Amino acid sequence: MARKKIIAGNWKMNMTPSEAVALIETLKPLVATEDADVVFCVPAIDIIPAVEAAKGSNICIGAENMYFEEKGAFTGEISPSMLTDAGVKYVIIGHSERRQYFAETDETVNKKVLKAFEHGITPIICCGETLTQREQGVTIDFIRQQVKIALLGVSAEQAAKAVIAYEPIWAIGTGKVATTEQAQEVCAAVRACVAEIYDQATADAIRVQYGGSVSASSAPELFAQPDIDGGLVGGAALKPDFGKIVNYK
Ligand code: PGA
């Protein structure tokens, strides 16, 4: 069976709750499709109004982060059951900005991925190399390491439902999108790595996104690649252009 595309917006630290509602109202008719899963990953404080605003539409609301403990003395953190109770279906785990600014590591990513599955939340697991790593020729090795650690202890059945977002750090927010060949090469390597860890059926089921300066003009060619099952979109997810990205065909 062909994999359904998944196109997710990563709002990052943008949009107040009232702005979030207005943006969802604007985008709702523009992202209506049955051909792809459409996810808006929004700031924690926007989740409840966003879920409300998205009701009756095809938009699923996701979170941008989550903690790996159930509850307790972790000031400022959000637990998995807080997310599910609010209506969240997806969570971005290990975005490079969280790794860079908030000390996220492959180990915390793995703990969060396991916890998300425990609660029936689909993780969108981020991986991606720096420009230096690309220039050093270690991109694939680095990505494989990130993917392998993120999936430690995850069952094949769970992994089949996961989403992995390949986001080269040098392409995030820079307007410098990876070439179609670069994006396809790494997404294929991610899938091959999943086949190695599990089996071909799991690799055929898992969805691999490309992220990094995806725009209405770059999306059609990127998403037509055999191993690219959609995108994780930052800047362009805050504009009506997101409708064009979702309906890229
Ligand atoms: P960008 O962000 O589309 O603005 O490059 C992508 C991301 O960080 O997920």
Side-chain angles (χ1 to χ4, degrees):
M1 213 183 79
R3 289 180 295 273
K4 193 174 186 186
K5 296 275 194 249
I6 175 161
I7 298 165
N10 172 12
W11 287 16
K12 311 194 178 187
M13 198 174 75
N14 295 294
M15 300 290 138
T16 64
S18 46
E19 288 169 344
V21 170
L23 182 59
I24 290 172
E25 293 303 339
T26 305
L27 290 179
K28 236 195 249 187
L30 306 179
V31 302
T33 178
E34 294 193 346
D35 295 344
D37 290 330
V38 178
V39 186
F40 288 15
C41 296
V42 306
I45 198 162
D46 295 348
I47 288 172
I48 290 174
V51 167
E52 193 57 36
K55 270 200 183 127
S57 77
N58 62 316
I59 301 166
C60 279
I61 300 299
E64 299 177 10
N65 182 34
M66 181 197 87
Y67 200 48
F68 52 73
E69 294 288 352
E70 293 292 337
K71 55 155 61 179
F74 305 103
T75 303
E77 292 295 317
I78 310 272
S79 78
S81 47
M82 290 171 190
L83 295 183
T84 52
D85 189 62
V88 162
K89 304 275 187 262
Y90 294 87
V91 61
I92 298 174
I93 303 285
H95 189 278
S96 61
E97 287 149 18
R98 294 219 54 89
R99 295 178 190 255
Q100 186 181 350
Y101 305 125
F102 303 101
E104 196 86 79
T105 64
D106 288 337
E107 285 68 30
T108 59
V109 166
N110 176 237
K111 284 184 182 177
K112 291 180 178 190
V113 168
L114 291 168
K115 200 42 109 176
F117 277 121
E118 226 180 88
H119 286 263
I121 308 172
T122 301
I124 299 176
I125 306 162
C126 298
C127 60
E129 82 287 3
T130 61
L131 188 57
T132 307
Q133 287 168 324
R134 177 156 285 274
E135 288 168 353
Q136 290 168 334
V138 299
T139 297
I140 304 284
D141 303 277
F142 182 70
I143 300 292
R144 284 171 53 85
Q145 174 166 326
Q146 286 186 315
V147 169
K148 283 187 170 182
I149 298 174
L151 293 175
L152 284 175
V154 173
S155 71
E157 198 191 331
Q158 290 170 330
K161 295 196 191 102
V163 179
I164 297 181
Y166 165 57
E167 299 201 307
I169 293 170
W170 47 272
I172 295 177
T174 56
K176 204 174 154 196
V177 64
T179 65
T180 309
E181 293 70 30
Q182 288 170 328
Q184 161 59 23
E185 183 196 15
V186 180
C187 290
V190 167
R191 199 177 304 286
C193 181
V194 172
E196 249 176 71
I197 304 170
Y198 302 99
D199 48 40
Q200 195 55 45
T202 308
D204 288 341
I206 199 167
R207 292 185 288 181
V208 184
Q209 296 174 315
Y210 167 78
S213 298
V214 173
S215 65
S217 59
S218 59
E221 201 181 302
L222 285 165
F223 297 174
Q225 299 308 303
D227 288 293
I228 303 181
D229 305 315
L232 183 56
V233 184
L238 301 169
K239 299 187 281 194
D241 257 23
F242 194 58
K244 294 195 192 131
I245 295 175
V246 167
N247 294 292
Y248 64 94
K249 273 189 210 153

